Amino acid sequence: AQSVTQPDIHITVSEGASLELRCNYSYGATPYLFWYVQSPGQGLQLLLKYFSGDTLVQGIKGFEAEFKRSQSSFNLRKPSVHWSDAAEYFCAVAPNRDDKIIFGKGTRLHILP
Amino acid sequence: DAGVTQSPTHLIKTRGQHVTLRCSPISGHKSVSWYQQVLGQGPQFIFQYYEKEERGRGNFPDRFSARQFPNYSSELNVNALLLGDSALYLCASSMAVVDTQYFGPGTRLTVL
């Protein structure tokens, strides 16, 4: 069955430390890939997306993600986190251009001062 | 430019009642999608409409229905509400069927 897996439910990092949030998918072809962030009381905001081309994608707020076909992964990274990055992060996948977008269960990021 | 707007913000209903949620997409966007987000989970796809036609349907019972109007706004209807329907209902609009989706703030539905 098609699925998106975010293996970490919660992650805690210190402010200024680097961050990597994991995302794996189970589709055969190269899907359309997204990362969204949801802050408390707010809607989902797109951080970045990958449709094709360069496998390292730059997004907003200093985030980047790398598509690795061999590992079926699309991990989100940030070199130095800020307290304002505390939020829930969702990886999302669309198997092809005409298909629905499927979200992972999310990873909640906590920032230590 | 205004973003995606949803109404109402919050809603409290009792079991068995019916509810209608409304969504206005970003100007120029022709696709509207609806998602249900239960506490602690990711959004689950309910419906997608593009150019007023249903383009996709998630694994939800027939109690859930939707439509898109000529101005591309959309309504989500849920009949015979169950306690398990309590969730944040999110609307997203996009230019195309699979494209960057811009989300509204959601409608928080509580079923008592």
Side-chain angles (χ1 to χ4, degrees):
Chain A
Q2 300 170 339
S3 66
V4 180
T5 302
Q6 293 181 248
D8 303 305
I9 299 173
H10 294 272
I11 281 188
T12 301
V13 299
S14 298
E15 190 169 16
S18 64
L19 170 71
E20 183 169 28
L21 302 182
R22 296 182 290 165
C23 174
N24 294 94
Y25 61 90
S26 62
Y27 302 101
T30 300
Y32 295 83
L33 299 158
F34 309 83
W35 274 100
Y36 283 86
V37 61
Q38 187 176 36
S39 299
Q42 297 188 20
L44 289 157
Q45 182 183 23
L46 180 72
L47 289 174
L48 46 79
K49 63 183 179 184
Y50 174 77
F51 284 4
S52 65
D54 191 347
T55 57
L56 185 62
V57 182
Q58 300 298 320
I60 63 171
K61 304 184 179 185
F63 286 93
E64 66 177 26
E66 186 171 11
F67 169 60
K68 292 185 177 180
R69 184 192 308 274
S70 61
Q71 298 177 19
S72 296
S73 69
F74 188 57
N75 294 349
L76 181 71
R77 301 193 295 248
K78 187 170 184 177
S80 176
V81 298
H82 186 262
W83 64 266
S84 61
D85 293 325
E88 184 122 28
Y89 291 80
F90 293 95
C91 179
V93 175
N96 57 64
R97 189 164 186 85
D98 294 321
D99 214 332
K100 62 188 179 188
I101 294 177
I102 299 171
F103 283 80
K105 293 187 176 182
T107 297
R108 181 160 293 279
L109 175 63
H110 306 269
I111 306 295
L112 295 175
Chain B
D1 283 342
V4 177
T5 59
Q6 293 186 243
S7 63
T9 306
H10 295 84
L11 205 51
I12 299 176
K13 293 284 189 179
T14 57
R15 282 176 296 176
Q17 285 189 311
H18 161 271
V19 68
T20 297
L21 310 180
R22 295 177 176 84
C23 171
S24 292
I26 292 171
S27 178
H29 285 192
K30 299 179 179 180
S31 177
V32 170
S33 299
W34 287 96
Y35 294 84
Q36 180 195 66
Q37 187 178 18
V38 175
L39 198 62
Q41 299 289 321
Q44 273 202 296
F45 174 78
I46 309 175
F47 286 109
Q48 182 176 40
Y49 279 78
Y50 179 72
E51 287 278 20
K52 302 180 285 295
E53 292 192 2
E54 184 182 300
R55 292 299 302 269
R57 173 184 286 254
N59 187 25
F60 281 81
D62 292 343
R63 299 185 295 107
F64 289 77
S65 63
R67 56 179 175 169
Q68 188 176 32
F69 298 99
N71 66 354
Y72 301 109
S73 67
S74 177
E75 283 184 354
L76 175 69
N77 295 283
V78 187
N79 292 324
L81 285 166
L82 303 174
L83 296 179
D85 294 331
S86 294
L88 180 67
Y89 287 85
L90 295 164
C91 172
S93 77
S94 58
M95 296 283 286
V97 173
V98 177
D99 200 347
T100 301
Q101 295 208 337
Y102 296 87
F103 283 80
T107 293
R108 173 72 62 186
L109 172 65
T110 302
V111 181
L112 302 176

